[in-house]
Amino acid sequence: MASLYKRPNSPFWWIKYKDAAGKTRQHTTGMRHAVPAQTKKARVILREKQLLELKREKGSEHGAWRVWVEKFLEEHYQTQPKTLHRYKTCWRNLQAFLEERGISAPHQLTFDACVDYMDWRQAGQPHLGIYKCGHNTARLDLKILHLICERAIKRGLIVANPCRKLGIKRHKSPEKPELTDEDIALIRGKLVELQMPTWMSTSFEIAIHQGVRLSETSFPLSRIDWKNENIEFHAKGDRLYSVSIHPDLLPLLKKLKKEKRLMTCELPKMASKEWWKFFKKIGLNQKGVCFHCTRVTVITRLVRRGWSEAAVRNVVHHASTEVNRIYQRLSVEDSRPVLASLRV
């Protein structure tokens, strides 16, 4: 493998590498090792030589994406099934792009191709089963590609990561609104009127009473401690936490138990999308409503009632007070009784 070295009495970096015929070559780079900027340029020359050696040594098919990427993801994230599913979905989108561009192995990937992916992904490719998405979704795909390329470096397939320092910033997501009493009544009414699947009404009631994520609304009834009226939830990262059951939710859970259900509900693969379609049908999408607004609503209302951040975090199991604060949708009106209580 190509390498840089210093020679006695020479102010320059020298480089040693093998040419196309396999013969070892050595010569000066013309870059002074005492000058940081020139040292940086010498390392660029080195990486170019190393990459050429890899290409000649291993050929275009060695280390092809199709040979190792899926296996790497499965082995690395086997204990995190939700993360694994998300990353494999990202990889299917990336793979379609790479195949279309004829990039079959990591050493063929370039910085420009990574940047081009953003427009390609956001525009959608219906003929490949890939539909339009937002900036942040496309950016997440590239984060997965960055992770994959880091693994390719460790496997000796490339010497530098072309996904590094792309300069693509995350767009600030629009704030999810708090659901009003009218919104909640509309959702409940339309779930019945439109004869939506029972998993939707069950997941909604659990979320609006407990403040959990959509994925957490589906759980075995065996996780319920009926005597103490607690539920054990699985949070992100497969972390376990227990919380008391909201009194108004108990009748629904007891009904499911009486029906001898094993699970509260079975969520379809694209549960979030089904909720998005529902909110669009009933006109709430114009307000930016999504299922996660149930969590925003619970946190905001608990804070408004005067509960401390620590108490609210204990209920919804947020990792930090900063994350908890992001979910609060307090208005000017919420400050009125606070100031009115002040005596000076």
Side-chain angles (χ1 to χ4, degrees), residues 101-164:
R101 296 295 177 95
I103 304 171
S104 60
H107 68 260
Q108 297 172 327
L109 184 63
T110 64
F111 175 93
D112 288 341
C114 295
V115 174
D116 289 346
Y117 179 79
M118 289 295 293
D119 288 338
W120 183 91
R121 177 72 179 90
Q122 289 179 84
Q125 311 296 322
H127 62 290
L128 298 174
I130 298 172
Y131 299 96
K132 291 181 180 180
C133 72
H135 174 93
N136 289 343
T137 299
R139 183 176 176 273
L140 174 62
D141 286 358
L142 285 178
K143 285 185 69 176
I144 307 311
L145 185 57
H146 178 279
L147 181 152
I148 290 168
C149 286
E150 286 296 307
R151 176 57 57 150
I153 291 173
K154 291 182 178 179
R155 291 172 66 95
L157 302 176
I158 52 176
V159 295
N161 190 337
C163 297
R164 193 173 293 158

Side-chain angles (χ1 to χ4, degrees), residues 174-180 183 284 287-290 292-297 300 327 329:
E175 286 190 345
K176 297 175 178 66
E178 175 191 0
L179 296 174
T180 64
D183 293 335
L284 284 180
K287 293 177 59 176
V289 170
C290 65
H292 210 65
C293 291
T294 56
R295 190 164 170 84
V296 171
T297 302
T300 302
Y327 279 74
R329 300 290 179 266

